[in-house]
Amino acid sequence: MKPTFAPALALALALAGCTTAPLSPDRAAARSDCQSQTDQALLTRNRALLFQGGPTNTPYSAGGLVGLPNQGLALRYQREQMIGDCLKNKSFGAAPAISP
């Protein structure tokens, strides 16, 4: 039986149509500001990250995955959540105030 690549091709074509709109300059500046604030807050909370070395100078560092492959995912998730909360607090697209 010959393998067919039709499902993979259909998926690739479907995903090719998925694009995101470019950010406006205001939103890009706000995202950059939120990222820097979040990084500063996380480094302040987790001071040990500044002094933690990578796994390159440890025993068995040439043997593929060192430690857990999901190491650091919780911190990455927390960072993305904090950036999202910061952007929500910037209140883009708020309705203008109506004066009587």
Side-chain angles (χ1 to χ4, degrees), residues 7 10 21 30 59 73 75 91:
L73 289 179
L75 187 60
S91 68

Side-chain angles (χ1 to χ4, degrees), residues 28-81:
R31 180 153 183 88
S32 175
D33 184 42
C34 285
Q35 285 174 343
S36 64
Q37 286 178 5
T38 298
D39 290 340
Q40 185 64 37
L42 287 175
L43 284 176
T44 302
R45 284 185 200 166
N46 305 311
R47 296 285 298 171
L49 293 176
L50 291 173
F51 307 106
Q52 182 178 356
T56 56
N57 294 328
T58 60
Y60 309 111
S61 63
L65 289 177
V66 177
L68 301 173
N70 61 353
Q71 186 176 8
L73 289 179
L75 187 60
R76 288 178 61 189
Y77 178 76
Q78 182 183 16
R79 181 179 183 270
E80 289 300 319
Q81 292 294 92

Side-chain angles (χ1 to χ4, degrees), residues 1 49 84 88:
M1 181 177 213
L49 293 176
K88 286 178 192 173

